[in-house]
Amino acid sequence: RADSTRGSGKSVGGINRGCCAGGHGVRAKAVVGTKRKRPRATITGSGGQRVEWEELVRAAEKIRGGSWERWADRYGDWGRDGVMYVAVRHGGMRLAEVVREVGIEYQAGAQAVKRFGQALGSDPARRQFVGTLRREISNV
């Protein structure tokens, strides 16, 4: 059957079919979402180096008063999510790096960081944890 858009230069599904027979013309995808966000401010240790995951965990263990293994996977404990939140939002780490370190799926990590951030407004203990952890890693 004949394609009614051949030779017409019309766009089909975001792809420019071009003007040549057989669809051999220029093909270009529609550009969507070209706005860029401002870069996030990051906390770096003394010497200007990016804070690493192990340093974040050590600082969180110091604040929480126990080992990561003891509270990171405990049901209802937001400590792991808090460390992930600080790592992604303030520590300069990418979410993909953080979930690899924690050992969870990307989507689960994204949801945890989002929910932790939403709860900051109504939970003073979480706000205090974030503030203290940020101060600790800025002294590293």
Side-chain angles (χ1 to χ4, degrees):
R1 91 184 171 145
D3 188 351
S4 63
T5 60
R6 275 198 189 146
S8 67
K10 290 184 180 177
S11 178
V12 177
I15 298 174
N16 183 359
R17 297 284 302 191
C19 62
C20 301
H24 297 293
V26 178
R27 297 176 188 256
K29 288 190 174 185
V31 178
V32 179
T34 58
K35 287 178 66 173
R36 293 187 143 204
K37 293 183 180 178
R38 292 185 307 155
R40 288 192 182 121
T42 60
I43 297 173
T44 55
S46 59
Q49 298 294 322
R50 185 179 85 146
V51 176
E52 297 299 323
W53 178 253
E54 291 79 20
E55 295 168 355
L56 281 167
V57 170
R58 277 195 300 274
E61 288 174 336
K62 181 179 170 185
I63 295 166
R64 304 273 324 236
S67 71
W68 170 264
E69 290 79 20
R70 205 171 99 213
W71 49 263
D73 291 325
R74 187 169 40 198
Y75 181 80
D77 193 319
W78 48 257
R80 179 196 70 187
D81 298 347
V83 176
M84 290 172 46
Y85 175 85
V86 172
V88 172
R89 299 283 189 223
H90 304 290
M93 293 184 75
R94 296 182 56 86
L95 182 59
E97 296 172 301
V98 173
V99 297
R100 197 173 320 121
E101 292 288 344
V102 174
I104 61 175
E105 294 292 323
Y106 186 91
Q107 187 58 39
Q111 190 70 19
V113 168
K114 177 183 173 186
R115 286 186 178 157
F116 187 87
Q118 289 172 336
L120 281 176
S122 61
D123 190 341
R126 292 182 195 214
R127 279 196 309 273
Q128 181 179 3
F129 175 78
V130 169
T132 305
L133 185 54
R134 289 182 69 187
R135 280 189 299 281
E136 283 289 324
I137 62 176
S138 67
N139 294 326
V140 172

